[in-house]
Amino acid sequence: MTSYSRTLTLTSPQETTALAEQMAERLDVGDVILLEGPIGSGKSHLSRGIIQHLLEHTEDVPSPTFTIVQTYDAAEFTIWHCDFYRLTHPDEALELGLDDAFEDAVCLIEWPDRLGSDQPVNALRINFEQLSEDERRLTFSYSDSKWQKLDGLLNG
């Protein structure tokens, strides 16, 4: 399986929000995005931007750090925003019905390492690296060709 990787540097929270909105317009049912990086690196900010862009009405989008999963009903699909930081075993995530969500929803998963070998192979992986207070380097990697739908965003 061929692997692709693209790196993008964002210099402000506004650039992160703009990227999130552009990504949101390209998402489909069954898309899973795995968000990796240290606390405070921008994972929730990107997720929040995607979710808010897809909702018909403005809604508060809190980090699911304590609830583990927050779901949102967008016009065309349900969005699962997951934060698995507090999980100790992959089974805890699957007990939430995540395996079905992989098929029936769009999933944004922070701390995907907690899934172990249950991470979907067709997912888009985004690694966040904090370069300064406002600057982030995002590395996008995927092996499923469906993610080529983002290439225009990542090459620009």
Side-chain angles (χ1 to χ4, degrees):
M1 189 176 300
T2 304
S3 232
Y4 300 92
S5 180
R6 308 275 190 279
T7 300
L8 188 62
T9 299
L10 303 172
T11 59
S12 70
Q14 294 80 11
E15 283 187 14
T16 302
T17 300
L19 175 65
E21 291 171 353
Q22 293 172 41
M23 288 176 64
E25 294 175 4
R26 292 166 171 79
L27 295 178
D28 297 308
V29 170
D31 285 349
V32 178
I33 301 177
L34 307 176
L35 304 144
E36 302 174 318
I39 292 172
S41 61
K43 300 179 300 293
S44 291
H45 186 92
L46 184 77
S47 297
R48 189 173 293 113
I50 290 170
I51 294 164
Q52 288 175 332
H53 188 75
L54 289 169
L55 297 179
E56 291 183 27
H57 304 288
T58 303
E59 187 174 325
D60 185 39
V61 179
S63 172
T65 301
F66 296 103
T67 58
I68 310 295
V69 174
Q70 292 285 132
T71 60
Y72 302 89
D73 292 321
E76 297 180 26
F77 44 73
T78 299
I79 306 162
W80 281 50
H81 184 197
C82 309
D83 184 330
F84 293 153
Y85 182 75
R86 298 183 320 121
L87 298 187
T88 58
H89 194 275
D91 289 347
E92 293 174 301
L94 299 178
E95 289 170 6
L96 300 168
L98 190 63
D99 47 351
D100 289 333
F102 288 157
E103 302 292 324
D104 303 333
V106 167
C107 297
L108 308 171
I109 302 175
E110 299 183 39
W111 303 99
D113 59 306
R114 306 305 201 266
L115 290 173
S117 62
D118 293 322
Q119 296 178 43
V121 295
N122 66 340
L124 170 67
R125 184 174 306 277
I126 306 175
N127 184 278
F128 289 74
E129 182 182 355
Q130 187 169 352
L131 303 176
S132 69
E133 185 176 334
D134 288 336
E135 192 173 20
R136 308 287 188 267
R137 179 179 300 128
L138 279 59
T139 302
F140 295 74
S141 55
Y142 58 88
S143 55
D144 190 315
S145 62
K146 74 177 181 175
W147 292 108
Q148 290 175 347
K149 62 187 171 186
L150 299 181
D151 281 356
L153 302 176
L154 307 179
N155 294 330

